[in-house]
């Protein structure tokens, strides 16, 4: 009996040891996996680093590219497009005008009643509509027919306040936020699509012509008075209320910048110099690239998988369309190489663009003790039923790295523009007042992003100059700005001027 008891004890001891060894191995494996998570996180943080010296290099590169783009067509990755807007709104504009704002996955139609300096914008009404995904890659006429159908229905809802004098045609400012080769103030050919659009038969066509043909197909009588980029619309809207606005930046689904340049500083401009001595330049800065940009393996893979590889590099690391996608790609690597979400990679995590930037912003803003918002987003979007607090903290860290890089690079770009126009330093001992008008959901709604951008710009400018540089939200500037430019270029304005001088 004694021998049996001993044998049983030995067997039990072996079983206990085996179970203990298994637990140790699992813990070692688990700690090894977690070490890999931290390794991926740290490497990403290093690759995204934006110390002030790097930001100055980016700003200098931006200024150099601006000069090159102004010197000749195709001389730079920055297109530096001449807008034909040489007079921004003054505040004297009066009348009733429409605006159509096509700039991303949504578009808006708007009507604005202007009352001159005294009353400014008396009334505005608008309707926003999402563009069905299939129209973003379909045929040109299908997209414009859809837009005009919404516009025509909106026109049909005009109230008594919006009354046209007899014999007058409705006039519209068309904000079209894609790279366009402007031919005149009211005509321009599409250079290429961005922001997920890819409609081949619109490229090299006059987009105003495409819109007008769609209007004719439904019998809508309306004159397109001005074709503007959303950034130029924001610049016009900003200047309408603040005469010190010199730069406009869009940070939304996509990104761009426009600014007021001295006409004699544009070597590629061969026409007569405008009376104002100024010309608004549409930079198309989303296409900026430089060896100084801190790019990671995730940025390179995102670019390769995009509709336009090698293009819009700055846009792909700072704009709302892509920030959430960068987050998804880092999380996917953590899931595949370090079992971040457990032994099985969540199938939803493999779907490109499933993590949108508003979701990233919501997680980044989570201040609850257990980061409940992060947990619910992971559950609702990626179908990860359970996530630990330390996992959620990693997600927050990733959001912070991605948003901070984007915000600081945006600030470097703005600083580069201010350097180009001599607004980065005091002049004769005094700093000129310079206002940057901002628009776009990323800047407006992602607080950590916008605060980081503003503090980084201040850091670049220094305390003295930054006191005279103001960043303002010019909400809805692109829509109202287009209507303002339609007003300041109305066909009836010329008739009235002729009448007054005759």
């Amino acid at each position: 009996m004694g021998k049996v008891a001993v044998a049983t004890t030995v067997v039990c001891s072996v079983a206990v040891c085996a179970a203990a060894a298994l637990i140790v191995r699992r813990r070692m494996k688990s700690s090894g996996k977690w070490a890999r998570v931290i390794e991926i996180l740290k490497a990403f943080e290093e690759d995204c680093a934006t110390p002030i010296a790097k930001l100055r290099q980016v700003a200098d590169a931006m200024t150099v590219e601006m000069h090159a783009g102004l010197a000749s067509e195709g001389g730079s990755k920055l297109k530096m497009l001449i807008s034909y807007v040489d007079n921004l709104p003054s505040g004297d504009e009066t009348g009733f005008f429409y605006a159509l704002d096509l700039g991303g996955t949504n578009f808006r139609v708007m009507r604005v009643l202007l009352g001159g300096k005294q009353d400014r914008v008396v009334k505005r009404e608008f309707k926003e509509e999402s563009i069905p995904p299939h129209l973003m890659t379909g045929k040109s006429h299908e997209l414009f027919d859809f837009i005009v159908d919404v516009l025509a229905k909106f026109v049909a809802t005009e109230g008594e306040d919006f009354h046209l004098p007899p014999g007058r045609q409705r006039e519209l400012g068309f904000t079209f936020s894609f790279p366009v080769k402007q031919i005149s103030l009211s005509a321009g050919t599409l250079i290429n699509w961005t922001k997920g659009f890819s409609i081949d038969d619109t490229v090299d066509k006059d987009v105003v012509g495409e819109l007008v043909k769609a209007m004719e197909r439904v019998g809508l009588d309306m004159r397109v008075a001005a074709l503007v980029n959303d950034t130029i619309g924001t610049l016009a809207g900003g200047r309408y209320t603040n005469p010190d606005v010199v730069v406009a930046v869009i940070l939304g689904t996509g990104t761009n910048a426009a600014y007021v340049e001295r006409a004699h500083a544009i070597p590629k401009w061969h026409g007569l110099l405008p009376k104002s001595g100024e010309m608004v330049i549409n930079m198309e800065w989303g296409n900026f690239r430089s060896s100084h940009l801190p790019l990671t393996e995730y940025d390179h893979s995102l670019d390769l998988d995009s509709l336009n590889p090698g293009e819009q590099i700055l846009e792909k690391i700072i704009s709302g369309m892509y920030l959430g996608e960068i987050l998804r790609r880092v999380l996917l690597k953590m899931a595949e190489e370090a079992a971040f979400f457990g032994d099985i990679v969540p199938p939803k995590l493999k779907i490109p663009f499933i993590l949108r930037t508003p979701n990233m912003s919501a997680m980044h803003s989570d201040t609850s003790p257990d980061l409940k918002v992060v947990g619910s987003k992971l559950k609702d979007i990626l179908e990860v039923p359970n996530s630990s607090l330390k996992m959620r903290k990693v997600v927050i860290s990733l959001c912070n790295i991605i948003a901070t890089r984007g915000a600081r690079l945006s600030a470097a770009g703005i600083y580069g523009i201010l350097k180009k126009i001599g607004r980065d330093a005091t002049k004769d001992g005094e700093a000129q007042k310079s206002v940057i008008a901002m628009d776009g959901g990323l800047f407006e709604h992602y607080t950590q992003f916008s605060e980081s951008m503003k503090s980084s710009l201040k850091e670049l400018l220094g305390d003295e100059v930054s006191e005279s540089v103001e960043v303002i939200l010019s909400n809805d500037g692109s829509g109202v700005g287009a209507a303002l430019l339609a007003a300041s270029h109305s066909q009836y304005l010329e008739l009235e001027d002729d009448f007054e001088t005759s």
Side-chain angles (χ1 to χ4, degrees):
M1 287 294 289
K3 287 180 179 180
V4 172
V6 170
T8 304
T9 304
V10 169
V11 169
C12 288
S13 298
V14 169
V16 168
C17 288
L22 182 63
I23 291 167
V24 168
R25 278 200 304 275
R26 278 179 177 166
R27 281 180 180 167
M28 286 176 66
K29 189 178 178 184
S30 175
S31 67
K33 284 177 179 176
W34 188 253
R36 179 63 185 136
V37 166
I38 300 306
E39 191 182 324
I40 292 168
L41 174 67
K42 293 296 180 192
F44 182 59
E45 187 171 30
E46 286 172 21
D47 290 344
C48 287
T50 51
I52 197 73
K54 181 173 278 291
L55 294 184
R56 292 193 187 283
Q57 289 174 323
V58 170
D60 288 343
M62 180 72 77
T63 305
V64 167
E65 289 297 316
M66 289 172 74
H67 278 284
L70 289 172
S72 62
E73 294 295 346
S76 163
K77 274 284 181 185
L78 293 177
K79 295 190 173 71
M80 302 301 285
L81 302 170
I82 293 166
S83 68
Y84 292 83
V85 173
D86 56 2
N87 271 313
L88 288 165
S90 63
D92 293 325
E93 293 77 15
T94 59
F96 150 44
F97 299 90
Y98 275 86
L100 166 61
D101 185 0
L102 174 61
T105 46
N106 294 334
F107 76 96
R108 286 175 305 164
V109 289
M110 179 186 297
R111 51 182 161 250
V112 178
L113 187 60
L114 304 173
K117 271 203 168 67
Q118 190 68 36
D119 297 319
R120 297 286 172 160
V121 178
V122 178
K123 190 171 184 180
R124 78 177 82 174
E125 295 175 346
F126 72 93
K127 179 175 172 55
E128 188 162 331
E129 194 82 33
S130 294
I131 294 174
H134 72 276
L135 292 181
M136 294 170 67
T137 54
K139 295 288 184 185
S140 186
H141 71 88
E142 293 170 342
L143 174 66
F144 283 96
D145 283 349
F146 177 77
I147 290 165
V148 166
D149 181 58
V150 173
L151 176 59
K153 285 174 181 168
F154 182 64
V155 169
T157 65
E158 279 175 6
E160 285 184 11
D161 290 340
F162 296 94
H163 180 67
L164 270 182
R168 285 211 174 189
Q169 191 180 23
R170 290 179 184 86
E171 294 184 290
L172 172 134
F174 182 19
T175 303
F176 184 77
S177 308
F178 302 90
V180 162
K181 170 80 170 112
Q182 202 96 14
I183 301 161
S184 68
L185 185 68
S186 58
T189 56
L190 176 67
I191 297 169
N192 59 272
W193 287 104
T194 55
K195 298 178 240 184
F197 282 78
S198 183
I199 305 171
D200 292 341
D201 64 340
T202 322
V203 176
D204 295 329
K205 294 250 185 81
D206 176 12
V207 292
V208 173
E210 294 295 288
L211 179 65
V212 169
K213 280 189 283 187
M215 287 180 184
E216 288 169 351
R217 283 193 286 271
V218 297
L220 180 60
D221 182 26
M222 191 177 278
R223 172 182 175 260
V224 181
L227 170 67
V228 294
N229 181 278
D230 60 347
T231 327
I232 292 166
T234 298
L235 189 62
R239 176 67 72 89
Y240 182 67
T241 53
N242 189 326
D244 294 319
V245 168
V246 289
V247 180
V249 177
I250 301 284
L251 282 164
T253 306
T255 183
N256 194 15
Y259 73 102
V260 182
E261 182 59 275
R262 293 152 300 178
H264 63 76
I266 311 170
K268 69 181 180 183
W269 172 258
H270 300 303
L272 291 170
L273 288 180
K275 287 178 186 174
S276 65
E278 297 179 333
M279 177 62 71
V280 174
I281 298 294
N282 166 22
M283 289 177 63
E284 292 297 336
W285 86 349
N287 206 40
F288 173 76
R289 70 180 305 164
S290 161
S291 59
H292 298 299
L293 288 177
L295 299 175
T296 69
E297 61 182 276
Y298 312 100
D299 303 309
H300 290 302
S301 68
L302 186 156
D303 179 47
L304 281 173
D305 294 342
S306 71
L307 291 167
N308 52 349
E311 301 294 320
Q312 301 296 115
I313 299 300
L314 182 66
E315 181 167 270
K316 287 170 184 168
I317 57 174
I318 74 171
S319 82
M321 175 130 185
Y322 300 101
L323 299 185
E325 174 61 7
I326 298 166
L327 174 62
R328 182 195 70 84
R329 286 171 182 263
V330 185
L331 288 174
L332 181 60
K333 179 163 180 157
M334 287 180 170
E336 289 175 340
E337 296 187 11
F340 184 64
F341 294 110
D343 293 334
I344 297 169
V345 176
K348 293 276 188 184
L349 188 58
K350 296 179 180 179
I351 301 170
F353 294 96
I354 193 166
L355 259 179
R356 294 172 57 250
T357 302
N359 298 318
M360 173 178 155
S361 172
M363 292 191 289
H364 196 174
S365 304
D366 189 1
T367 55
S368 60
D370 58 349
L371 300 177
K372 189 164 65 175
V373 176
V374 178
S376 66
K377 290 290 181 188
L378 293 175
K379 185 177 180 181
D380 296 345
I381 299 162
L382 300 179
E383 295 179 359
V384 174
N386 300 302
S387 54
S388 66
L389 182 58
K390 70 176 185 177
M391 285 169 66
R392 295 175 190 184
K393 284 180 176 177
V394 166
V395 174
I396 292 270
S397 295
L398 291 174
C399 292
N400 192 52
I401 292 164
I402 295 164
T404 300
R405 177 185 66 165
R408 285 174 69 78
L409 290 173
S410 304
I414 293 169
Y415 181 59
I417 299 170
L418 292 173
K419 284 187 77 165
K420 170 68 182 73
I421 58 176
R423 301 279 186 134
D424 64 319
T426 56
K427 193 173 183 181
D428 301 326
E430 285 190 20
Q432 300 163 272
K433 180 74 173 167
S434 304
V435 178
I436 294 109
M438 306 291 303
D439 198 5
L442 179 63
F443 180 82
E444 184 178 359
H445 301 301
Y446 199 152
T447 308
Q448 290 86 348
F449 187 102
S450 52
E451 290 303 318
S452 175
M453 193 209 87
K454 286 188 277 191
S455 64
S456 302
L457 183 60
K458 187 172 183 177
E459 190 181 352
L460 285 161
L461 288 164
D463 290 338
E464 188 183 6
V465 178
S466 66
E467 283 181 15
S468 63
V469 175
E470 189 183 0
V471 176
I472 63 167
L473 177 64
S474 182
N475 202 316
D476 200 25
S478 58
V480 172
L484 289 167
L485 288 166
S488 61
H489 296 87
S490 166
Q491 61 187 330
Y492 303 110
L493 200 62
E494 292 174 17
L495 292 174
E496 284 159 11
D497 288 346
D498 291 343
F499 180 76
E500 284 170 15
T501 55
S502 61

